[in-house]
Amino acid sequence: MSGNGVPRRRVLGTVGVVCGAAALAACGGDPGPPAVPPGIKGKVIAKTADIPVGGGKVFDDWKLVVTQPSAGVFKAFTATCPHAGCAVGRIEERLIECPCHGSQFAIDSGECVSGPAKAPLVAFPLKVQGDGIVIG
C-alpha cells in the first residue's frame, strides 16, 4: 500500500497508463510541413550563384542553411542542431557541421551521419525562380 491507502500496484498502473497515453499522443498524427522561418516565405533569400556545388551557406538571420548537393539541385534545412539546439556552422566536404558537439549532417538529406545528434535537420521546401532561391 502507498501512504494514502491506495495499493502501490494501482498507483503504478495508473502512472503507466497516463505516460503511455502521453507518448502515443506525442507520436500520433501527421505534424504537417515544417514551419518556414518568419519573414522569408515566398521571398528570394539567395542567388543560385551564392551556393557552391557540393557545399552550402548558413543564413544566421533566419536559422537556415541552403545547400547544393549537385549542380542545379538545392536543399534548405534548419540551421539548428537537433542535439542541443546550437547553430550549425560551416559546410565542408559535403557535410553540415555543428561546432558545439561535432554532429555532422549530409548536405543532400539533412540526415545525421555523425552524432551525438540522432535526428536529421528539418528540411524546408524551396524552389528556384530564375537565379533566385525562394523558401516555402
Side-chain angles (χ1 to χ4, degrees):
M1 289 230 170
S2 65
N4 64 3
V6 178
R8 182 180 310 241
R9 187 174 286 168
R10 186 173 182 189
V11 170
L12 292 174
T14 301
V15 169
V17 167
V18 169
C19 290
L24 286 173
C27 293
D30 180 9
V36 173
I40 63 169
K41 186 172 184 172
K43 295 183 181 177
V44 174
I45 63 156
K47 301 287 185 189
T48 56
D50 296 338
I51 312 300
V53 176
K57 182 176 179 179
V58 177
F59 296 88
D60 294 322
D61 292 348
W62 299 307
K63 297 180 177 141
L64 184 78
V65 58
V66 176
T67 65
Q68 187 176 184
S70 57
V73 176
F74 296 89
K75 303 285 183 169
F77 307 100
T78 180
T80 303
C81 179
H83 171 247
C86 296
V88 297
R90 64 185 183 183
I91 301 162
E92 285 191 9
E93 298 182 19
R94 305 185 60 80
L95 295 171
I96 303 165
E97 298 180 355
C98 178
C100 292
H101 302 106
S103 293
Q104 297 178 317
F105 305 89
I107 65 169
D108 62 341
S109 65
E111 290 294 321
C112 183
V113 297
S114 176
K118 304 275 188 242
L121 297 176
V122 175
F124 295 110
L126 70 70
K127 57 187 167 189
V128 175
Q129 291 180 337
D131 66 346
I133 297 171
V134 177
I135 302 296

